[in-house]
Amino acid sequence: MLELLNIKIEVERLSNILGKGEDCLDLQYLIARIQYLDQVIAQPDFWNNPTRAYEVLQEIEYSIFYKHQQYQRWCSILEDIKAALQLLELSADEQLWQEVQSNLTQLHQELETAEIRQFLSDPEDKKSAFLTITTEVDNADSQYWAYMLLQMYWRWAKSHNYQLDVVEISDGNEAGIKYATLEITVRYAYGYLKSETGTHQLQQISPFDAANSLRTSLASVEVIPILDESIEWEIPEKDLEITWPRYRGNVNHVETWVNMVHIPTGISVFCDQERSLMQNKEKALAILKSKLFAMPTAGYAYALAQNVQLDKIQPRQIKPLSNKLIREYILHPHTKVKDLRTNVETLAATEVLDGKIDLFIQAFLQQLNHATSVGKETLDNFKSLL
Protein backbone atom coordinates (compact mmCIF):
# COMPACT_ATOMS: atom_id res chain seq x y z
CA MET A 1 0.00 0.00 0.00
CA LEU A 2 2.88 2.37 0.80
CA GLU A 3 4.46 1.76 -2.61
CA LEU A 4 1.12 2.37 -4.32
CA LEU A 5 0.76 5.63 -2.36
CA ASN A 6 4.25 6.75 -3.41
CA ILE A 7 3.41 6.11 -7.05
CA LYS A 8 0.16 8.08 -6.74
CA ILE A 9 2.16 10.99 -5.30
CA GLU A 10 4.61 10.80 -8.21
CA VAL A 11 1.72 10.65 -10.72
CA GLU A 12 0.23 13.77 -9.16
CA ARG A 13 3.58 15.54 -9.44
CA LEU A 14 3.91 14.65 -13.12
CA SER A 15 0.31 15.75 -13.69
CA ASN A 16 1.19 19.15 -12.28
CA ILE A 17 4.21 19.40 -14.60
CA LEU A 18 2.14 18.55 -17.68
CA GLY A 19 -0.62 20.87 -16.54
CA LYS A 20 1.51 23.95 -16.00
CA GLY A 21 1.15 25.07 -19.57
CA GLU A 22 4.69 26.45 -19.80
CA ASP A 23 7.54 26.26 -22.30
CA CYS A 24 8.04 22.97 -24.13
CA LEU A 25 5.39 21.16 -22.06
CA ASP A 26 2.52 23.43 -23.19
CA LEU A 27 0.31 22.08 -25.99
CA GLN A 28 -1.50 25.38 -26.52
CA TYR A 29 1.84 27.18 -26.80
CA LEU A 30 2.99 24.73 -29.46
CA ILE A 31 -0.18 25.17 -31.50
CA ALA A 32 0.10 28.96 -31.31
CA ARG A 33 3.78 28.83 -32.27
CA ILE A 34 3.06 26.65 -35.32
CA GLN A 35 0.29 29.01 -36.44
CA TYR A 36 2.66 31.98 -36.11
CA LEU A 37 5.36 30.25 -38.15
CA ASP A 38 2.81 29.41 -40.84
CA GLN A 39 2.12 33.15 -41.11
CA VAL A 40 5.85 33.84 -41.41
CA ILE A 41 6.11 31.39 -44.32
CA ALA A 42 3.18 33.08 -46.06
CA GLN A 43 5.08 36.38 -46.30
CA PRO A 44 6.13 37.17 -49.91
CA ASP A 45 9.77 37.84 -48.92
CA PHE A 46 10.12 34.64 -46.86
CA TRP A 47 12.54 32.96 -49.28
CA ASN A 48 14.72 36.06 -49.66
CA ASN A 49 16.72 34.91 -46.63
CA PRO A 50 17.51 31.19 -47.20
CA THR A 51 19.23 30.76 -43.82
CA ARG A 52 16.25 32.13 -41.87
CA ALA A 53 13.83 30.14 -44.06
CA TYR A 54 15.71 26.93 -43.26
CA GLU A 55 15.61 27.64 -39.52
CA VAL A 56 11.84 28.30 -39.63
CA LEU A 57 11.14 25.08 -41.53
CA GLN A 58 13.30 23.16 -39.06
CA GLU A 59 11.37 24.60 -36.12
CA ILE A 60 8.02 23.74 -37.68
CA GLU A 61 9.11 20.18 -38.37
CA TYR A 62 10.41 19.81 -34.82
CA SER A 63 7.28 21.33 -33.27
CA ILE A 64 4.86 19.22 -35.31
CA PHE A 65 6.64 15.89 -35.44
CA TYR A 66 8.36 15.94 -32.09
CA LYS A 67 7.16 18.38 -29.45
CA HIS A 68 3.45 18.30 -30.34
CA GLN A 69 3.18 14.55 -30.72
CA GLN A 70 5.43 13.93 -27.73
CA TYR A 71 3.26 16.08 -25.47
CA GLN A 72 0.13 14.22 -26.56
CA ARG A 73 1.84 10.87 -25.94
CA TRP A 74 2.91 11.97 -22.44
CA CYS A 75 -0.67 12.90 -21.58
CA SER A 76 -1.90 9.56 -22.95
CA ILE A 77 0.64 7.58 -20.88
CA LEU A 78 -0.31 9.52 -17.76
CA GLU A 79 -4.03 8.84 -18.27
CA ASP A 80 -3.27 5.13 -18.74
CA ILE A 81 -1.31 5.12 -15.47
CA LYS A 82 -4.16 6.82 -13.60
CA ALA A 83 -6.70 4.33 -14.96
CA ALA A 84 -4.46 1.39 -13.99
CA LEU A 85 -4.03 2.76 -10.46
CA GLN A 86 -7.80 2.87 -10.02
CA LEU A 87 -8.00 -0.80 -11.01
CA LEU A 88 -5.14 -1.73 -8.70
CA GLU A 89 -6.95 -0.13 -5.75
CA LEU A 90 -9.81 -2.55 -6.37
CA SER A 91 -7.82 -5.69 -7.14
CA ALA A 92 -4.14 -6.67 -7.10
CA ASP A 93 -2.71 -7.53 -10.52
CA GLU A 94 1.03 -8.18 -10.76
CA GLN A 95 1.23 -7.73 -14.54
CA LEU A 96 -0.71 -4.46 -14.41
CA TRP A 97 1.48 -3.29 -11.50
CA GLN A 98 4.66 -3.92 -13.50
CA GLU A 99 3.16 -2.07 -16.47
CA VAL A 100 2.43 0.95 -14.27
CA GLN A 101 5.97 1.00 -12.92
CA SER A 102 7.46 0.69 -16.42
CA ASN A 103 5.28 3.47 -17.85
CA LEU A 104 6.00 5.73 -14.89
CA THR A 105 9.76 5.22 -15.22
CA GLN A 106 9.61 6.01 -18.93
CA LEU A 107 7.48 9.12 -18.41
CA HIS A 108 9.72 10.36 -15.60
CA GLN A 109 12.85 9.95 -17.74
CA GLU A 110 11.35 11.74 -20.76
CA LEU A 111 10.05 14.66 -18.69
CA GLU A 112 13.45 14.97 -17.02
CA THR A 113 15.04 15.19 -20.48
CA ALA A 114 12.52 17.88 -21.46
CA GLU A 115 13.38 19.87 -18.33
CA ILE A 116 17.09 19.67 -19.18
CA ARG A 117 16.34 20.91 -22.69
CA GLN A 118 15.01 24.18 -21.30
CA PHE A 119 18.62 25.12 -20.46
CA LEU A 120 19.67 24.80 -24.11
CA SER A 121 19.27 28.27 -25.59
CA ASP A 122 22.41 28.72 -27.75
CA PRO A 123 21.86 28.27 -31.52
CA GLU A 124 24.48 25.51 -31.61
CA ASP A 125 22.70 23.56 -28.87
CA LYS A 126 20.05 22.37 -31.33
CA LYS A 127 22.56 20.71 -33.64
CA SER A 128 23.62 17.08 -33.89
CA ALA A 129 27.12 16.31 -32.66
CA PHE A 130 30.42 14.61 -33.34
CA LEU A 131 31.96 13.14 -30.17
CA THR A 132 35.63 12.15 -30.37
CA ILE A 133 37.45 10.08 -27.74
CA THR A 134 41.27 10.03 -27.76
CA THR A 135 43.73 8.24 -25.49
CA GLU A 136 46.16 10.48 -23.65
CA VAL A 137 48.89 7.81 -23.37
CA ASP A 138 49.72 5.06 -25.84
CA ASN A 139 49.35 2.02 -23.57
CA ALA A 140 46.84 -0.80 -23.06
CA ASP A 141 45.21 0.69 -19.94
CA SER A 142 44.53 4.07 -21.55
CA GLN A 143 43.32 2.48 -24.77
CA TYR A 144 40.93 0.23 -22.86
CA TRP A 145 39.70 3.26 -20.88
CA ALA A 146 38.95 5.04 -24.17
CA TYR A 147 36.96 1.99 -25.24
CA MET A 148 35.00 2.04 -21.96
CA LEU A 149 34.08 5.68 -22.61
CA LEU A 150 33.02 4.79 -26.15
CA GLN A 151 30.69 2.15 -24.69
CA MET A 152 29.37 4.62 -22.10
CA TYR A 153 28.34 7.21 -24.68
CA TRP A 154 27.00 4.55 -27.03
CA ARG A 155 24.76 3.16 -24.28
CA TRP A 156 23.68 6.67 -23.24
CA ALA A 157 22.58 7.46 -26.79
CA LYS A 158 20.83 4.12 -27.23
CA SER A 159 18.97 4.53 -23.92
CA HIS A 160 17.49 7.75 -25.33
CA ASN A 161 16.76 6.13 -28.71
CA TYR A 162 19.17 8.48 -30.49
CA GLN A 163 20.58 7.59 -33.88
CA LEU A 164 24.35 7.20 -33.82
CA ASP A 165 27.19 5.80 -35.91
CA VAL A 166 30.92 5.26 -35.54
CA VAL A 167 32.49 7.40 -38.29
CA GLU A 168 36.17 6.90 -37.47
CA ILE A 169 37.99 4.49 -35.18
CA SER A 170 41.55 3.27 -34.60
CA ASP A 171 42.06 0.06 -32.63
CA GLY A 172 44.61 -0.10 -29.84
CA ASN A 173 47.81 -2.11 -30.05
CA GLU A 174 46.76 -4.63 -27.37
CA ALA A 175 43.19 -3.75 -26.43
CA GLY A 176 40.66 -0.95 -26.65
CA ILE A 177 41.00 1.97 -29.05
CA LYS A 178 43.40 4.83 -29.73
CA TYR A 179 40.60 7.12 -30.81
CA ALA A 180 37.04 7.05 -32.17
CA THR A 181 34.42 9.51 -33.35
CA LEU A 182 30.69 9.02 -32.85
CA GLU A 183 28.09 10.86 -34.92
CA ILE A 184 24.94 11.44 -32.83
CA THR A 185 22.17 12.52 -35.18
CA VAL A 186 19.40 14.03 -33.12
CA ARG A 187 18.21 17.53 -32.33
CA TYR A 188 19.98 18.97 -29.24
CA ALA A 189 22.70 16.31 -29.25
CA TYR A 190 25.40 18.98 -28.97
CA GLY A 191 23.51 20.83 -26.24
CA TYR A 192 23.31 17.69 -24.13
CA LEU A 193 26.85 16.46 -24.74
CA LYS A 194 28.86 19.68 -24.62
CA SER A 195 29.23 18.99 -20.89
CA GLU A 196 31.44 16.00 -21.76
CA THR A 197 34.27 17.95 -23.43
CA GLY A 198 37.41 17.56 -21.35
CA THR A 199 39.75 14.94 -19.91
CA HIS A 200 38.24 11.93 -18.12
CA GLN A 201 40.34 10.05 -15.55
CA LEU A 202 39.92 6.42 -14.50
CA GLN A 203 41.45 4.76 -11.44
CA GLN A 204 41.24 0.96 -11.31
CA ILE A 205 43.19 -2.27 -10.95
CA SER A 206 44.85 -2.84 -14.31
CA PRO A 207 43.39 -5.86 -16.16
CA PHE A 208 46.66 -6.06 -18.14
CA ASP A 209 49.03 -6.29 -15.17
CA ALA A 210 49.60 -9.66 -13.51
CA ALA A 211 50.66 -7.84 -10.33
CA ASN A 212 47.18 -6.24 -10.05
CA SER A 213 48.66 -2.74 -9.91
CA LEU A 214 46.45 0.29 -9.33
CA ARG A 215 46.60 2.40 -12.49
CA THR A 216 45.36 5.85 -13.48
CA SER A 217 44.32 6.27 -17.12
CA LEU A 218 43.37 9.39 -19.05
CA ALA A 219 41.30 9.94 -22.19
CA SER A 220 40.08 13.18 -23.73
CA VAL A 221 36.59 13.81 -25.09
CA GLU A 222 35.80 16.50 -27.63
CA VAL A 223 32.21 17.34 -28.63
CA ILE A 224 31.48 19.66 -31.56
CA PRO A 225 28.21 20.65 -33.28
CA ILE A 226 27.60 19.30 -36.77
CA LEU A 227 27.16 22.01 -39.38
CA ASP A 228 23.87 21.96 -41.28
CA GLU A 229 22.43 23.58 -44.40
CA SER A 230 22.04 26.90 -42.59
CA ILE A 231 25.85 27.34 -42.67
CA GLU A 232 27.09 28.16 -46.15
CA TRP A 233 30.86 27.76 -46.11
CA GLU A 234 33.47 25.85 -48.09
CA ILE A 235 37.14 25.14 -47.30
CA PRO A 236 39.45 26.29 -50.12
CA GLU A 237 40.98 23.29 -51.92
CA LYS A 238 44.47 24.77 -51.52
CA ASP A 239 44.07 24.43 -47.74
CA LEU A 240 43.39 20.68 -47.90
CA GLU A 241 45.77 17.76 -48.10
CA ILE A 242 43.82 14.59 -48.91
CA THR A 243 45.31 11.10 -49.07
CA TRP A 244 43.65 7.79 -49.84
CA PRO A 245 44.82 4.23 -50.63
CA ARG A 246 46.34 3.51 -53.99
CA TYR A 247 44.64 0.79 -56.02
CA ARG A 248 46.81 -2.32 -56.11
CA GLY A 249 44.62 -4.62 -58.16
CA ASN A 250 43.23 -6.65 -55.24
CA VAL A 251 39.48 -6.69 -55.95
CA ASN A 252 38.83 -8.86 -52.88
CA HIS A 253 40.12 -6.22 -50.47
CA VAL A 254 39.36 -2.69 -51.64
CA GLU A 255 40.41 -0.06 -49.09
CA THR A 256 38.23 3.05 -48.88
CA TRP A 257 39.85 5.11 -46.12
CA VAL A 258 40.47 8.84 -46.47
CA ASN A 259 42.81 11.05 -44.44
CA MET A 260 42.16 14.79 -44.66
CA VAL A 261 44.40 17.52 -43.22
CA HIS A 262 43.64 21.24 -42.96
CA ILE A 263 47.06 22.64 -43.82
CA PRO A 264 46.86 26.06 -42.07
CA THR A 265 45.85 24.60 -38.68
CA GLY A 266 47.20 21.05 -38.89
CA ILE A 267 43.82 19.57 -37.88
CA SER A 268 43.38 16.11 -39.43
CA VAL A 269 40.52 13.65 -39.83
CA PHE A 270 40.75 9.96 -40.76
CA CYS A 271 37.57 8.23 -41.92
CA ASP A 272 37.19 4.58 -42.94
CA GLN A 273 33.72 3.48 -41.80
CA GLU A 274 31.75 4.21 -44.99
CA ARG A 275 31.48 1.74 -47.86
CA SER A 276 33.00 3.87 -50.58
CA LEU A 277 35.96 6.19 -50.85
CA MET A 278 33.71 9.11 -51.84
CA GLN A 279 31.45 8.55 -48.84
CA ASN A 280 34.47 8.55 -46.52
CA LYS A 281 35.74 11.72 -48.19
CA GLU A 282 32.39 13.47 -47.66
CA LYS A 283 32.22 12.34 -44.02
CA ALA A 284 35.81 13.42 -43.33
CA LEU A 285 35.11 16.82 -44.87
CA ALA A 286 31.95 17.20 -42.74
CA ILE A 287 33.90 16.43 -39.56
CA LEU A 288 36.75 18.75 -40.52
CA LYS A 289 34.40 21.64 -41.34
CA SER A 290 32.63 21.18 -38.01
CA LYS A 291 35.95 21.12 -36.14
CA LEU A 292 37.11 24.31 -37.85
CA PHE A 293 33.82 26.10 -37.26
CA ALA A 294 33.83 25.23 -33.56
CA MET A 295 37.54 25.83 -33.16
CA PRO A 296 38.19 28.19 -30.22
CA THR A 297 40.63 31.02 -30.71
CA ALA A 298 41.70 33.68 -28.24
CA GLY A 299 38.60 34.83 -26.41
CA TYR A 300 36.65 31.61 -27.06
CA ALA A 301 35.03 32.92 -30.25
CA TYR A 302 33.79 30.87 -33.14
CA ALA A 303 36.33 31.52 -35.85
CA LEU A 304 33.92 32.06 -38.69
CA ALA A 305 31.36 33.93 -36.65
CA GLN A 306 34.12 36.43 -35.78
CA ASN A 307 35.37 36.59 -39.40
CA VAL A 308 38.75 35.15 -38.44
CA GLN A 309 40.75 34.11 -41.51
CA LEU A 310 41.47 30.44 -40.95
CA ASP A 311 44.58 30.52 -43.11
CA LYS A 312 46.06 33.04 -40.67
CA ILE A 313 45.66 30.76 -37.66
CA GLN A 314 48.75 28.79 -36.69
CA PRO A 315 48.57 25.39 -34.93
CA ARG A 316 50.18 26.84 -31.79
CA GLN A 317 47.29 29.33 -31.50
CA ILE A 318 44.68 26.59 -31.19
CA LYS A 319 43.59 26.12 -27.59
CA PRO A 320 42.16 22.60 -27.12
CA LEU A 321 38.97 22.34 -25.09
CA SER A 322 39.65 18.76 -24.07
CA ASN A 323 42.85 19.17 -22.03
CA LYS A 324 41.13 20.15 -18.75
CA LEU A 325 40.42 17.37 -16.25
CA ILE A 326 36.64 17.42 -15.71
CA ARG A 327 35.65 14.07 -14.22
CA GLU A 328 37.12 11.27 -12.10
CA TYR A 329 35.93 7.65 -12.25
CA ILE A 330 37.20 5.55 -9.32
CA LEU A 331 36.70 1.77 -9.38
CA HIS A 332 39.23 0.85 -6.66
CA PRO A 333 39.60 0.80 -3.65
CA HIS A 334 36.05 2.16 -3.64
CA THR A 335 33.63 3.20 -6.39
CA LYS A 336 32.78 6.82 -7.11
CA VAL A 337 32.35 9.18 -10.04
CA LYS A 338 32.82 12.91 -9.41
CA ASP A 339 32.48 15.88 -11.75
CA LEU A 340 35.16 18.40 -10.82
CA ARG A 341 33.26 21.43 -12.23
CA THR A 342 29.92 20.96 -10.48
CA ASN A 343 31.07 18.71 -7.58
CA VAL A 344 28.21 16.33 -8.38
CA GLU A 345 29.19 12.78 -7.48
CA THR A 346 27.70 9.31 -7.22
CA LEU A 347 28.82 5.97 -5.81
CA ALA A 348 27.06 4.15 -8.67
CA ALA A 349 30.13 4.06 -10.92
CA THR A 350 28.97 0.92 -12.74
CA GLU A 351 25.67 2.58 -13.67
CA VAL A 352 27.50 5.67 -14.93
CA LEU A 353 29.74 3.55 -17.15
CA ASP A 354 26.58 1.85 -18.37
CA GLY A 355 25.44 5.18 -19.81
CA LYS A 356 23.58 6.84 -16.95
CA ILE A 357 25.27 10.27 -17.17
CA ASP A 358 22.22 12.54 -17.21
CA LEU A 359 22.82 13.72 -13.64
CA PHE A 360 26.18 15.18 -14.71
CA ILE A 361 24.74 16.71 -17.88
CA GLN A 362 21.88 18.37 -15.99
CA ALA A 363 24.15 19.76 -13.26
CA PHE A 364 26.56 21.20 -15.83
CA LEU A 365 23.77 22.87 -17.82
CA GLN A 366 22.19 24.30 -14.67
CA GLN A 367 25.53 25.77 -13.62
CA LEU A 368 26.16 27.12 -17.12
CA ASN A 369 22.67 28.59 -17.26
CA HIS A 370 23.20 30.30 -13.89
CA ALA A 371 26.50 31.71 -15.12
CA THR A 372 24.74 33.11 -18.18
CA SER A 373 22.10 34.82 -16.06
CA VAL A 374 24.63 36.71 -13.97
CA GLY A 375 26.44 38.29 -16.88
CA LYS A 376 28.87 37.79 -19.73
CA GLU A 377 31.98 38.28 -17.58
CA THR A 378 31.01 35.43 -15.28
CA LEU A 379 30.25 33.21 -18.28
CA ASP A 380 33.65 33.87 -19.82
CA ASN A 381 35.35 32.94 -16.54
CA PHE A 382 33.34 29.74 -16.33
CA LYS A 383 34.19 28.74 -19.90
CA SER A 384 37.87 29.21 -19.15
CA LEU A 385 37.57 26.29 -16.74
CA LEU A 386 36.37 23.87 -19.42
Side-chain angles (χ1 to χ4, degrees):
M1 287 298 294
L2 180 59
E3 194 170 1
L4 180 60
L5 178 61
N6 290 336
I7 284 188
K8 290 179 68 175
I9 293 174
E10 178 64 9
V11 167
E12 185 64 28
R13 188 183 74 84
L14 296 180
S15 296
N16 291 334
I17 292 176
L18 288 174
K20 282 181 178 179
E22 297 176 355
D23 302 323
C24 65
L25 304 181
D26 181 14
L27 182 60
Q28 297 303 318
Y29 167 80
L30 292 176
I31 294 174
R33 182 62 179 170
I34 292 170
Q35 292 173 343
Y36 167 74
L37 294 175
D38 283 338
Q39 294 175 2
V40 172
I41 291 177
Q43 298 300 315
D45 61 345
F46 174 72
W47 294 105
N48 291 349
N49 186 339
T51 299
R52 172 58 179 159
Y54 174 82
E55 291 174 350
V56 170
L57 293 176
Q58 286 283 296
E59 184 177 352
I60 289 178
E61 180 182 7
Y62 180 63
S63 296
I64 293 175
F65 296 105
Y66 184 77
K67 280 187 174 181
H68 194 160
Q69 292 185 2
Q70 185 182 55
Y71 182 91
Q72 290 182 316
R73 188 173 62 83
W74 286 340
C75 292
S76 177
I77 292 175
L78 190 60
E79 290 304 315
D80 289 343
I81 292 174
K82 289 180 178 179
L85 287 176
Q86 291 178 349
L87 293 175
L88 287 171
E89 288 182 330
L90 299 175
S91 176
D93 186 322
E94 184 61 28
Q95 183 176 352
L96 186 60
W97 174 249
Q98 292 179 358
E99 182 179 330
V100 165
Q101 291 178 311
S102 176
N103 287 341
L104 189 61
T105 299
Q106 177 185 352
L107 183 59
H108 182 273
Q109 180 178 353
E110 292 186 15
L111 286 178
E112 188 176 66
T113 300
E115 290 176 335
I116 294 175
R117 190 176 300 142
Q118 295 181 35
F119 297 122
L120 306 179
S121 57
D122 291 341
E124 289 76 22
D125 287 342
K126 298 179 181 179
K127 290 180 170 57
S128 298
F130 289 123
L131 184 149
T132 300
I133 303 165
T134 308
T135 56
E136 292 289 301
V137 182
D138 190 17
N139 60 39
D141 287 291
S142 293
Q143 290 168 3
Y144 189 64
W145 171 225
Y147 175 70
M148 291 171 66
L149 286 174
L150 178 64
Q151 285 188 311
M152 183 180 78
Y153 291 119
W154 183 277
R155 291 165 179 168
W156 174 84
K158 285 298 185 181
S159 71
H160 290 282
N161 296 317
Y162 295 159
Q163 179 182 341
L164 78 164
D165 294 291
V166 177
V167 296
E168 58 173 343
I169 190 168
S170 176
D171 293 331
N173 299 327
E174 300 180 49
I177 58 173
K178 294 180 180 178
Y179 66 83
T181 296
L182 290 175
E183 180 181 20
I184 301 98
T185 310
V186 66
R187 193 176 174 91
Y188 289 105
Y190 174 70
Y192 293 139
L193 289 170
K194 64 185 181 183
S195 65
E196 300 307 293
T197 291
T199 298
H200 297 242
Q201 176 179 288
L202 171 70
Q203 178 179 299
Q204 70 166 355
I205 297 295
S206 172
F208 308 100
D209 185 354
N212 294 325
S213 301
L214 185 64
R215 295 286 177 85
T216 297
S217 304
L218 300 172
S220 64
V221 175
E222 178 189 47
V223 182
I224 57 173
I226 298 177
L227 299 189
D228 53 34
E229 291 86 344
S230 66
I231 307 296
E232 299 179 3
W233 169 58
E234 297 297 331
I235 303 175
E237 289 188 12
K238 65 180 180 64
D239 291 342
L240 293 176
E241 179 181 288
I242 305 174
T243 56
W244 53 79
R246 294 181 179 180
Y247 177 66
R248 302 187 180 184
N250 186 354
V251 296
N252 295 320
H253 183 66
V254 179
E255 294 184 283
T256 61
W257 59 264
V258 170
N259 190 71
M260 188 174 295
V261 180
H262 184 253
I263 298 171
T265 62
I267 295 176
S268 65
V269 174
F270 179 87
C271 196
D272 66 346
Q273 297 300 298
E274 302 296 333
R275 293 188 176 183
S276 72
L277 187 146
M278 289 306 299
Q279 288 176 320
N280 278 319
K281 182 181 177 181
E282 292 175 1
K283 184 65 67 176
L285 183 60
I287 297 173
L288 182 59
K289 288 174 66 175
S290 295
K291 282 179 176 288
L292 289 173
F293 186 76
M295 181 178 62
T297 60
Y300 196 82
Y302 284 111
L304 296 181
Q306 300 298 322
N307 296 318
V308 175
Q309 294 183 12
L310 293 177
D311 58 355
K312 302 297 183 183
I313 299 174
Q314 300 301 316
R316 66 178 181 275
Q317 293 177 280
I318 302 173
K319 183 176 65 174
L321 289 176
S322 56
N323 62 357
K324 182 70 176 180
L325 182 61
I326 66 164
R327 194 174 300 152
E328 295 177 333
Y329 305 72
I330 301 174
L331 300 185
H332 189 83
H334 56 275
T335 60
K336 184 177 75 170
V337 180
K338 180 176 181 178
D339 194 288
L340 304 179
R341 300 158 300 176
T342 62
N343 290 323
V344 170
E345 61 181 67
T346 175
L347 300 180
T350 301
E351 293 184 5
V352 171
L353 293 173
D354 199 38
K356 294 179 174 58
I357 60 173
D358 285 329
L359 74 162
F360 299 114
I361 293 175
Q362 184 170 6
F364 175 86
L365 293 175
Q366 285 175 332
Q367 183 166 321
L368 190 62
N369 184 68
H370 174 71
T372 303
S373 67
V374 298
K376 182 178 182 302
E377 181 178 354
T378 304
L379 177 58
D380 289 341
N381 292 335
F382 178 76
K383 284 179 176 177
S384 69
L385 300 175
L386 297 180

